[in-house]
Amino acid sequence: MKTSARRIGVVGVGMCVPKKVLTNADLEKMVDTTDEWIQTRTGIRERRVVEPGMATSDLAYDAAKEALKRAGCHAKDIDLVIVGTTSPDMLFPSTACLLQHRLGAKSAAGFDLSAACSGSVFSIITAQQYLQTGRFKRALVIGAEVLSGFVDWTDRSTCVLFGDGAGACVMSRVSRGGILATDLGCDGSAAEFLCIPGGGSRQPPSHASIDQRLHYLRMDGTEIFKLAVRRMAESAQTVIKAARVPADKIDCLIPHQANIRIIQAMAKRARLPMEKVYVNVDRYGNTSAASNLIALYEAVQEGKVKRGSHVLLVAFGAGLTWGSVLLQW
Ligand code: UT7
């Protein structure tokens, strides 16, 4: 969808990852895998994991503080907090409420948004709607996950993939540039390909659910791989067309960081050269909802996103969910 009326943009970004690094060599000691397999099949060299006791809101807090600082505003100026996450501190209350209190964002409303790895992109687009109608003036959007608590560390096909982290941004009206076009989609028919089956109302926690390991993430990697490439490429093309920005004018593509092979295949399919693609999956693995915002933060820090740059965020995740945001920085 091409956006019009008020221009809404990102005015500050932040990120936070835990200090503890878990390398492929560390994983070799935990499951039957090799650094060589992980690097060639996924592009991942290492990921970050929290120490026991650290929760999603802790990472979200540090990322949010940095985004606020860079946006030059205070928590009290924020009137909306959205946290994209699938690993909230608790089932309820929302992580957004915990964060709102800790930040001292006294005038803000807040809620969590569940779109798995598409959490940042869904949250940015949701915030944009509130800002565009004028209902709120300044939104704090966060994608944050501590998936290390939900990964089965005995399952080599999934435990090598994920990492913990948080990315954040402040959004408000801008006088130039901003969000030019967005795309969102979902398809629940493929829900079973990537899920945590236990812990919800269908299969509440019980001794049996723990014995059956239902509280851990399960994935059909091959199916997810194919769908991720197709949906992300289509979504990227949808926003490029809607914004009427020629593909060669995209300065930086920031895809969800799940697997370097998915990123390469989707970029090829969307006809976007790899030189313009930001990649940090090698250092953080798949941080799910945090991934796009962490990558945006680093792309800005490294000068790959500059004033006037056309930036394309593309996400894909469990649900299935997918979405894109094309914006001018
Ligand atoms: O954000 C969305 C969330 N998830 C994703 O985006 C992940 C999407 N999927 C993927 O990234 C890839 O499918 C994987 C990285 C998970 C797997 O790569 P693949 O090329 O699709 O490999 P595969 O599943 O076809 O497995 C090939 C082999 C299997 O052995 P056999 O059956 O051929 O003997 C697996 O058992 O690799 C084996 N394998 C491993 N070997 C060493 C699976 N995991 C590992 C491992 N180390 N960690």
Side-chain angles (χ1 to χ4, degrees), residues 33 37 41 117 156-157 194 219 221 256 258-259 261-262 286:
T33 191
W37 190 95
R41 305 312 289 162
C117 301
R156 69 174 184 174
S157 67
L194 183 50
M219 181 174 71
H256 169 47
N259 182 324
R261 290 158 54 225
I262 294 178
N286 181 348

